[in-house]
């Protein structure tokens, strides 16, 4: 199966995600094949770390040293699926990783055992960016950085986009807590941005149609 994401550790209160329409049990929410575990809002916020299945231990250590991304090897494979989410979320479509050095991070992920699936040049807030895409099971990892960036700092997780069964129904359920539904970059799909600050969620979040 290759390398997959087993768990994301998020510095939020579980109750904030439950209020947004995610099915949460204790401190964990299972979204498709990925467990999202909440560590509370008192410590660091956002996606704090991830655990990966199918990765070589030595390669993982080299990746952490190069990128500064908190990463663990999955303790065991968890095939169980969580409850259906009231918001209609079915899986994580993609996870965004920001980097000050796109070439370095791309090389680090390749050394970890991942293959580049696509490279796209675009703009973000009026500045040129390069997007490099990898696949980890059902989740797409989108790495973003300046095309010529050569910074020394660590890569950091930025946000999540979730696939939903009914984008209009999800937007209606959130009401003013999300933006308007519009066409996505991906042909035939539609997307909306969740106003996470109003929900007490620290992870930049979008919803996209299947």
């Amino acid at each position: 199966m290759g390398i997959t994401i087993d768990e994301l550790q998020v510095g939020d209160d579980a109750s904030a995600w439950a209020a947004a329409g995610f099915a949460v049990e204790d401190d964990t929410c299972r979204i498709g094949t990925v467990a999202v575990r909440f560590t509370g809002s008192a410590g660091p916020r956002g996606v704090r770390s991830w655990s990966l299945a199918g990765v070589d231990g030595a390669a993982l250590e080299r990746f952490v040293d190069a990128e500064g991304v908190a990463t663990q090897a999955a303790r065991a494979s968890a095939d169980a699926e969580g409850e259906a989410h009231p918001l209609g979320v079915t899986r994580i479509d993609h996870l965004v990783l920001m980097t000050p050095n796109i070439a370095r991070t791309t090389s680090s992920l390749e050394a970890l055992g991942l293959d580049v699936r696509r490279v796209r040049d675009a703009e973000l807030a009026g500045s040129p960016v390069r997007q490099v895409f990898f696949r980890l099971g059902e989740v797409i990892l989108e790495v973003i950085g300046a095309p010529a960036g050569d910074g020394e700092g660590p890569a950091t997780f930025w946000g999540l986009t979730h696939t939903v069964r009914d984008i209009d129904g999800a937007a209606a359920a959130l009401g003013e807590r999300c933006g308007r539904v519009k066409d996505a970059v991906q042909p035939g799909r539609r997307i909306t941005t969740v106003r996470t600050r109003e929900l007490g969620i620290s992870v930049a979040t979008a919803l996209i149609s299947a």
Side-chain angles (χ1 to χ4, degrees):
M1 290 181 62
I3 299 172
T4 59
I5 302 173
D6 178 69
E7 181 182 281
L8 298 175
Q9 188 180 92
V10 175
D12 283 340
D13 294 324
S15 59
W17 286 62
F22 290 85
V24 177
E25 183 175 352
D26 297 326
D27 65 349
T28 302
C29 167
R30 178 160 288 279
I31 306 175
T33 60
V34 179
V36 180
R37 186 163 64 87
F38 306 107
T39 60
S41 58
R45 307 298 304 276
V47 178
R48 299 178 56 186
S49 68
W50 62 353
S51 65
L52 303 177
V55 65
D56 174 77
L60 186 148
E61 289 183 9
R62 289 192 295 270
F63 171 77
V64 173
D65 288 343
E67 298 302 321
V69 177
T71 309
Q72 298 83 37
R75 292 184 294 273
S77 176
D79 298 325
E81 294 185 4
E83 299 178 17
H85 298 282
L87 193 59
V89 169
T90 59
R91 64 182 177 89
I92 296 174
D93 187 83
H94 60 273
L95 166 66
V96 178
L97 181 70
M98 306 291 287
T99 175
N101 191 321
I102 192 78
R104 183 201 70 197
T105 303
T106 299
S107 295
S108 294
L109 288 163
E110 289 179 313
L112 189 63
L114 298 172
D115 296 322
V116 173
R117 296 299 186 93
R118 183 186 175 207
V119 178
R120 177 176 180 265
D121 289 321
E123 285 192 357
L124 181 64
S127 298
V129 296
R130 178 158 295 159
Q131 299 164 289
V132 183
F133 299 90
F134 301 83
R135 181 170 283 281
L136 293 90
E138 69 179 16
V139 181
I140 295 168
L141 176 65
E142 177 183 347
V143 182
I144 300 179
D150 59 356
E152 298 291 335
T156 54
F157 292 113
W158 184 72
L160 291 167
T161 295
H162 305 282
T163 301
V164 290
R165 287 190 298 270
D166 177 0
I167 189 73
D168 295 302
L174 288 171
E176 295 182 353
R177 297 174 297 178
C178 74
R180 68 179 181 87
V181 178
K182 60 184 180 181
D183 290 339
V185 172
Q186 300 89 334
R189 304 180 77 181
R190 300 164 67 222
I191 193 168
T192 183
T193 301
V194 179
R195 296 188 175 118
T196 52
R197 183 176 299 178
E198 298 176 17
L199 291 161
I201 293 174
S202 63
V203 181
T205 302
L207 308 175
I208 193 169
S209 61

